[in-house]
Amino acid sequence: MKSKKGYLLSLLSILLVVFLSGCENMVVFNPQGPVAESIMDLINWSIVFMVIICLVVFGLFGFIVWKYRATPENKDYEPPEEHGSTLLEIVWTVIPFLIIIALTIPTVKTIYAIEDVPKDYKDKDPIVINVTSADWKWIFSYPEEGIETVNYVNIPAGVPVEFKLTSAGTMQSFWIPALAGQKYTMYGAETDLYVVAYNPGNYEGQNTNFNGQGYAEMKFDVEAKTQEDYDKWVDEVKDTAPKLTENKYKEILKPTHLGRMTFSNTHLEWIDHGKGGDSNYYLNPDLYRVHGYPGKTFENDNKTDGGEHDEH
C-alpha cells in the first residue's frame, strides 16, 4: 500500500491539477490496484519534477529582470561586445537533455512493468477475460468459465486478470481509471492489459476514443468480488443465464446502446475478432449513415425502433 510520502505526493498532484485545470474527476489519484498505483506514481514524479523546473526557471527570470532592470544610475550604460560564455552555452544545451532523460527512464520502466502481472501477484495464475468492443457497448467473454456479459464485468479481488482486447468494428480505447491505464482495441488485433483490484468494490470503465454518436455513453461497470462471491456468481450464470446464439450476437453488434446482458456461453465459439474473420458479416457497415444509424436508441432519435435492451 502507499506510504506517507506517496500520499503527500498525491495530495500535491491533486492540488496542482485542481488549481491548474479545474478538473473534478480525481479517480487516477485514488488507485485501487497496483497497476493504477504505478501510473499514479509516474504522474506524481512528472508533476513534481516539472514544478521544480518551473520554479527554477521563473526564479531565474525574476532575478535577471530585477538585477538588470533600467535605473537612473545605469541609464547611459552601454554593454561591451562579448563573444559569450561557452560554458553557459554548454550548460543550457545539456540541461534539456538531462530533463528528458529524467522523465524518460521512469516512464519506460513503468510502461514495461505494467505489461506483465504485477510483481506481488506473480504467484497467482491470472484469470483470462476477452474484451470485444463494438459501437457502442463492451462485450466480456470468459473462455475458461464459458460465460459472457455485456456492459459489465465481474472479477475476483486480489487476483490478477488478463484482459485480451479486440474490437468488432471501429477502434476504441479501454480504460478503468481506478485500476489501470488505457489501451486501444482494434479489429484483427489483440492487446493485453493486466489488472488487479486490491479490495472488493465497484469501478467505472469507459471508452476514451471518439467513435461516433454513442461515444459519451459507452461505459461499463467493473465489480471486484471476493473469491467466494465471484465463484458463486459464475455458477449462477452457468445455471440461469440464456444461451447466446449467433443471430443474437449479430443484433448485439449493431451500432446501438444496450443495457446489461448475461449469457451462459461465449461468441468465441464461432468468431474471435482478434484473429480477423468475416469482417463484412460482423461489422454491419450498411447500418452506418452520415447523420446517424437506423434504430431508436437515443432519446432525441425520431427514427424507427430497433435494438434489444436485455438485462439478466
Side-chain angles (χ1 to χ4, degrees), residues 130-302:
N130 287 54
V131 181
T132 304
S133 62
D135 296 336
W136 291 279
K137 76 280 298 179
W138 293 95
I139 303 164
F140 299 91
S141 307
Y142 297 70
E144 297 168 348
E145 291 82 0
I147 61 177
E148 184 158 301
T149 62
V150 178
N151 289 332
Y152 80 98
V153 58
N154 289 342
I155 62 175
V159 177
V161 177
E162 181 184 5
F163 287 115
K164 292 183 175 294
L165 311 172
T166 190
S167 175
T170 57
M171 186 171 71
Q172 329 282 7
S173 177
F174 182 84
W175 188 32
I176 311 172
L179 298 179
Q182 69 88 28
K183 270 200 174 182
Y184 289 107
T185 65
M186 296 166 281
Y187 181 82
E190 187 176 87
T191 53
D192 294 322
L193 179 67
Y194 289 94
V195 168
V196 177
Y198 283 138
N199 302 298
N202 294 296
Y203 312 103
E204 184 180 85
Q206 63 189 75
N207 172 30
T208 61
N209 187 67
F210 180 75
N211 63 324
Q213 186 176 1
Y215 155 77
E217 297 303 322
M218 190 174 170
K219 299 181 180 181
F220 59 94
D221 296 317
V222 181
E223 183 174 352
K225 298 175 173 289
T226 63
Q227 186 67 59
E228 181 181 0
D229 288 342
Y230 174 79
D231 293 337
K232 287 181 179 179
W233 172 76
V234 171
D235 292 338
E236 181 182 352
V237 171
K238 290 180 178 179
D239 293 339
T240 62
K243 289 288 184 180
L244 175 65
T245 65
E246 191 169 358
N247 287 333
K248 177 67 174 179
Y249 186 62
K250 294 177 196 175
E251 288 294 317
I252 291 174
L253 292 184
K254 291 179 180 179
T256 54
H257 277 149
L258 298 173
R260 290 190 176 199
M261 306 174 76
T262 309
F263 301 98
S264 56
N265 63 323
T266 79
H267 73 268
L268 299 176
E269 297 174 11
W270 52 82
I271 187 170
D272 183 346
H273 300 283
K275 296 179 174 60
D278 191 348
S279 61
N280 290 329
Y281 189 66
Y282 285 94
L283 294 182
N284 297 292
D286 292 335
L287 295 181
Y288 290 86
R289 299 288 185 268
V290 175
H291 299 293
Y293 59 89
K296 185 177 181 182
T297 307
F298 298 93
E299 294 181 0
N300 61 350
D301 229 326
N302 295 320

Side-chain angles (χ1 to χ4, degrees), residues 83-147:
H83 167 70
S85 172
T86 302
L87 177 61
L88 288 177
E89 293 284 350
I90 293 174
V91 168
W92 59 56
T93 301
V94 170
I95 287 177
F97 285 99
L98 296 178
I99 292 173
I100 292 173
I101 292 172
L103 292 173
T104 299
I105 291 176
T107 300
V108 171
K109 290 176 65 177
T110 300
I111 289 174
Y112 277 92
I114 63 178
E115 288 297 311
D116 198 358
V117 176
K119 61 181 181 179
D120 294 335
Y121 297 86
K122 288 186 179 293
D123 60 328
K124 299 181 179 180
D125 294 331
I127 292 175
V128 177
I129 300 177
N130 287 54
V131 181
T132 304
S133 62
D135 296 336
W136 291 279
K137 76 280 298 179
W138 293 95
I139 303 164
F140 299 91
S141 307
Y142 297 70
E144 297 168 348
E145 291 82 0
I147 61 177

